[in-house]
Amino acid sequence: MTRFLHRLGRGTAAHPWRTLAAWLLVAVAATLTAGALGGTPQDDFDVEGAPALAGIESLREHFPGSGAAGSSAQVVVHDPDGDPVGDTDIAELTARLGEVDHVTSVAPPRFSADRDTALLAVVFDVPVTHPDLAGGAGVEALETAVTGAGEALQVELGGQLPNTSPEAVQGTGEVVGVVVALVVMVLVLGTVVAAGLPLLVALAGLGVSAAGVTLLAAVTDVSTTAPTVAVMVGLGVGIDYALLLVSRHLEHLRAGVPVVEAAARATATAGRSVVFAAAIVLVSLMGLPLAGVPIYSSYGFATGISVVAVAAAALTLVPASCGLLGRRLLPRRERRGLPPRRPRPARAPVSARWAAAVARHPVPWALAAFALIGGLAAPALDLRTFPRDVSNNAADSTTRQAYDLIAAEFGAGANGPLTVVVDRAAVGDAGVAAAADQLRAVDDVVAVAGPVVSPDGQVAVFEAQPAFGPADERTPALLEQVRADLDGVEVTGSTAMFTDISVLLSDRLWLVVGFVVALSMVLLAAMFRSVVVPVKAALLNLLSIGAAYGVVTAVFQWGWGTDLVGLDHPMPVSSWLPILMFAILFGLSMDYEVFLLSRIREHWLRSGDARASVVQGVAGTGRVISTAAAVMVVVFLGFATETDLVVRQLGLGMAVAVLLDATVVRMVLVPATMTLLGRRSWWLPGWLDRLLPSIDAEAPADGRADGPGATVPGPRQEERTEVPA
């Protein structure tokens, strides 16, 4: 691989215009193909294994053309002055709603006790994923129909269709984050040209990946939030990968290496870290389909496309741009051979002095770091999840306004009733009546509507209204009680389905964690020829991810920082978050692990001094890892300002995890633990050494290979470390 990457770097640097032209052709072809053949993102909540799915399928079979087979919406009409809503206004509004495409019926209004609020149920004959309704088209049609429903009336939209309509991407926070990231890179790299290069390369890769995600949506369901998550991750890792290559290139330029050769060596050395870092991210994303929910597969595929695209852009466009720009990447005074304006006394870099200080007293440093991360992770023990609840939407959104009006006028449970399906053909009318009596006797069920008998007479359906909203912590227990008390019935509806999904994802979390950790450890063991290093890396990564869970729990669920993230009340953590955040963060954390351990192992192979290699490795990567982490943190915080709850929580959690990973973990725990372990860090049993494939994460900095069979001193044969060819 080293030879291939060296040739790739040399070829692209020597012929930059050809490389740029090839990328332009690829981007244009991908965009045109996506425009002609691409699909539209849409969510799929039919989750195999969820008990509520059986009830939904029964409703689709016995109520064709109803909201069960298609989709539905709620129109809330409210008089702010408290006067009764007029029958004429309701009749006119019902007529206009009935004229909307795919609307099969508008149920008679349900009035509040004081009649100042009316609730209209609108039924469509197609699901929310139908092209005529997806992407906000269905909501726009409803908004047109309710316009002018009475100048003194407040009309809001809720229910299935509006609630599942994708939130518009704001983009303001992301732009601010990118600008701040650019400023950080200018301060570190010294020139606007060098700082702008990683950003431009990442954007080029994202442009191609966006077309890939659109094409993916044409062949499979892609979640409406998957493209945003793919952009978030792709932008972060793309800047990181390009920044690593640019930093290595600048090192070689400052050492007097010619421009083309410097780009080739940077691609051969740092490029291998990029390849394997991207591979580990992809390995982590491979765990998402194990969650058993179609949405997760789309997250994994979309984000994987983004990671591959930005990694390919970094490996080709960075050396090409370096070859094109030449020494203009260096600050002007360095290009002219002038001394710095403010000469600094000759002393070791800050990162080297820091690593040496940690290595001198590893135990207290390690204990302090573990205490900090443990304290931040503690709230995660109280983590409670729920997939999606409209009460978490922005206060000025029509769905949130509808939710609040329904809760105030009809009770909080009216926003998430349980749909109970009784097999009338099996139990008869007496059994249906008995089920209704049992349902009314259940604690925390305040109202039961129905039964509604299907046209074929096979099933009867009740609507049971809980005493609390769908995201309330008591909902899972109520659902379990109803299913236990009523034999031979199916409990379904959006509240039941989302609760089942939450339980399912909680059960599958450990399967995903085990798969991702095990596969990543095997890959790291092959890279670094060690058993101890992968185990240590996995444990430290799990600690930083646990701390991120804790911070998200404290901010969103405990309400410790809701004002800071623009929310007006505490809320559960999204059920989509734990697995999604783990898979992405584990891969991103391994990026830094690969960057750092590559340098440490390089010095270890040369010197055989375990402690000195740790200090030198941290010194050699501290600046670039800190810069890359700072860039990623500000980018993720930009996404934390979005309106979509999943994106907001994911942005904050990933920013916290990356910050801790690049500071507490990489700058304290890694040097402290590796100093304590000493030579044992590189222990690998001989039998396992023979089984593992030979993979080297990064060649020596000067571009020379050390040849096969090179060994480092060791008191025991099993501590021998071979350098792959």
Side-chain angles (χ1 to χ4, degrees):
M1 177 175 290
T2 303
R3 295 187 183 92
F4 169 76
L5 290 175
H6 190 277
R7 288 196 298 268
L8 177 65
R10 174 178 286 277
T12 53
H15 305 285
W17 289 114
R18 295 181 187 177
T19 306
L20 296 176
W23 259 98
L24 181 61
L25 289 175
V26 169
V28 171
T31 301
L32 293 177
T33 305
L37 305 176
T40 302
Q42 57 188 29
D43 292 307
D44 179 9
F45 295 114
D46 283 358
V47 179
E48 296 294 335
L53 183 59
I56 291 176
E57 291 175 342
S58 179
L59 292 174
R60 290 170 178 169
E61 177 184 357
H62 298 291
F63 286 88
S66 70
S71 57
S72 62
Q74 291 177 321
V75 179
V76 185
V77 184
H78 175 70
D79 191 311
D81 296 329
D83 297 330
V85 177
D87 292 335
T88 302
D89 291 328
I90 294 298
E92 293 176 355
L93 180 57
T94 299
R96 287 199 298 271
L97 290 170
E99 295 173 357
V100 174
D101 290 343
H102 298 293
V103 170
T104 59
S105 65
V106 180
R110 176 186 176 186
F111 288 98
S112 61
D114 54 8
R115 288 188 60 89
D116 68 347
T117 305
L119 184 61
L120 300 175
V122 182
V123 177
F124 295 82
D125 60 4
V126 292
V128 293
T129 55
H130 190 276
D132 291 345
L133 302 185
V139 175
E140 291 177 1
L142 289 176
E143 289 174 343
T144 301
V146 302
T147 300
E151 295 182 0
L153 297 177
Q154 177 186 359
V155 182
E156 306 293 350
L157 303 178
Q160 182 185 18
L161 177 60
N163 293 350
T164 57
S165 181
E167 298 277 357
V169 177
Q170 304 298 315
T172 305
E174 291 88 324
V175 172
V176 173
V178 169
V179 171
V180 174
L182 183 61
V183 172
V184 171
M185 289 189 289
V186 169
L187 294 175
V188 173
L189 298 178
T191 66
V192 175
V193 175
L197 180 55
L199 179 58
L200 292 176
V201 168
L203 292 177
L206 285 178
V208 174
S209 72
V213 173
T214 303
L215 290 172
L216 177 68
V219 297
T220 187
D221 289 333
V222 174
S223 170
T224 53
T225 55
T228 305
V229 173
V231 170
M232 182 195 312
V233 177
L235 185 60
V237 301
I239 293 176
D240 270 13
Y241 296 161
L243 179 60
L244 180 66
L245 286 162
V246 172
S247 298
R248 266 300 176 103
H249 176 73
L250 292 177
E251 286 182 21
H252 293 309
L253 284 184
R254 291 186 173 108
V257 180
V259 172
V260 172
E261 179 60 22
R265 291 189 183 184
T267 308
T269 55
R272 284 208 291 187
S273 291
V274 169
V275 170
F276 291 113
I280 291 180
V281 175
L282 294 177
V283 165
S284 297
L285 294 174
M286 285 170 55
L288 288 176
L290 296 177
V293 178
I295 286 178
Y296 275 114
S297 297
S298 71
Y299 279 129
F301 293 138
T303 307
I305 290 172
S306 180
V307 171
V308 170
V310 296
L315 292 171
T316 53
L317 291 180
V318 168
S321 301
C322 290
L324 184 65
L325 295 170
R327 295 181 60 82
R328 281 172 289 181
L329 291 171
L330 294 170
R332 184 175 302 175
R333 295 186 67 85
E334 289 189 42
R335 296 200 303 267
R336 295 178 178 178
L338 299 175
R341 286 191 176 91
R342 296 180 180 178
R344 296 180 180 178
R347 56 188 307 188
V350 174
S351 56
R353 299 197 302 273
W354 175 270
V358 173
R360 283 194 298 270
H361 305 286
V363 174
W365 279 106
L367 292 177
F370 280 127
L372 174 61
I373 291 185
L376 292 174
L381 298 175
D382 190 41
L383 176 67
R384 183 171 68 86
T385 63
F386 192 80
R388 188 170 185 168
D389 183 52
V390 184
S391 65
N392 302 330
N393 288 3
D396 58 351
S397 64
T398 185
T399 51
R400 172 66 181 279
Q401 294 284 342
Y403 184 98
D404 290 343
L405 284 172
I406 292 173
E409 300 291 339
F410 302 99
N415 281 296
L418 301 178
T419 302
V420 180
V421 183
V422 183
D423 188 346
R424 182 170 177 265
V427 302
D429 289 334
V432 172
D437 292 338
Q438 287 180 291
L439 194 58
R440 294 186 180 95
V442 173
D443 293 339
D444 293 327
V445 171
V446 297
V448 177
V452 176
V453 179
S454 63
D456 59 8
Q458 297 296 302
V459 299
V461 180
F462 296 96
E463 289 287 338
Q465 180 177 325
F468 35 77
D472 192 278
E473 60 185 359
R474 294 167 289 180
T475 297
L478 173 62
L479 181 61
E480 183 179 356
Q481 181 182 356
V482 171
R483 285 172 171 163
D485 291 351
L486 277 71
D487 295 329
V489 304
E490 300 290 347
V491 183
T492 187
S494 61
T495 298
M497 175 59 80
F498 282 163
T499 303
D500 290 342
I501 289 175
S502 183
V503 173
L504 177 66
L505 293 180
S506 297
D507 295 339
R508 293 289 183 91
L509 174 62
W510 300 112
L511 175 63
V512 176
V513 169
F515 173 83
V516 171
V517 171
L519 204 54
S520 299
M521 287 174 60
V522 171
L523 192 56
L524 283 178
M527 287 182 190
F528 297 111
R529 318 310 295 175
S530 168
V531 172
V532 179
V533 164
V535 173
K536 174 192 65 64
L539 292 176
L540 295 184
N541 286 349
L542 290 174
L543 282 175
S544 62
I545 294 173
Y549 286 161
V551 171
V552 170
T553 302
V555 171
F556 288 92
Q557 183 177 317
W558 290 3
W560 284 9
T562 49
D563 292 340
L564 297 177
V565 291
L567 299 173
D568 57 358
H569 67 284
M571 63 193 62
V573 174
S574 171
S575 291
W576 313 118
L577 190 73
I579 290 179
L580 180 62
M581 193 165 79
F582 170 80
I584 294 174
L585 280 178
F586 198 85
L588 295 183
S589 297
M590 284 300 183
D591 279 3
Y592 296 135
E593 190 77 13
V594 170
F595 297 161
L596 174 57
L597 290 178
S598 296
R599 287 294 188 93
I600 294 177
R601 184 169 183 264
E602 177 184 326
H603 292 295
W604 162 250
L605 292 175
R606 289 177 174 176
S607 67
D609 187 333
R611 176 173 171 175
S613 65
V614 171
V615 174
Q616 292 170 347
V618 173
T621 59
R623 184 180 179 88
V624 67
I625 286 181
S626 298
T627 304
V631 168
M632 200 174 282
V633 166
V634 297
V635 168
F636 289 159
L637 286 178
F639 282 90
T641 64
E642 282 294 339
T643 55
D644 186 274
L645 182 63
V646 176
V647 175
R648 182 177 294 191
Q649 293 182 345
L650 185 63
L652 177 63
M654 291 173 63
V656 170
V658 170
L659 177 62
L660 292 174
D661 194 72
T663 54
V664 180
V665 174
R666 303 298 160 222
M667 299 301 292
V668 179
L669 286 177
V670 168
T673 54
M674 293 194 72
T675 298
L676 290 171
L677 290 169
R679 303 172 62 83
R680 292 184 293 273
S681 295
W682 306 105
W683 176 73
L684 181 69
W687 63 268
L688 185 57
D689 189 18
R690 292 187 293 272
L691 288 177
L692 289 173
S694 295
I695 302 174
D696 199 10
E698 186 169 326
D702 58 6
R704 294 179 288 103
D706 287 339
T711 62
V712 297
R716 297 194 304 271
Q717 177 66 24
E718 61 266 25
E719 287 184 349
R720 182 174 62 86
T721 304
E722 294 190 358
V723 182

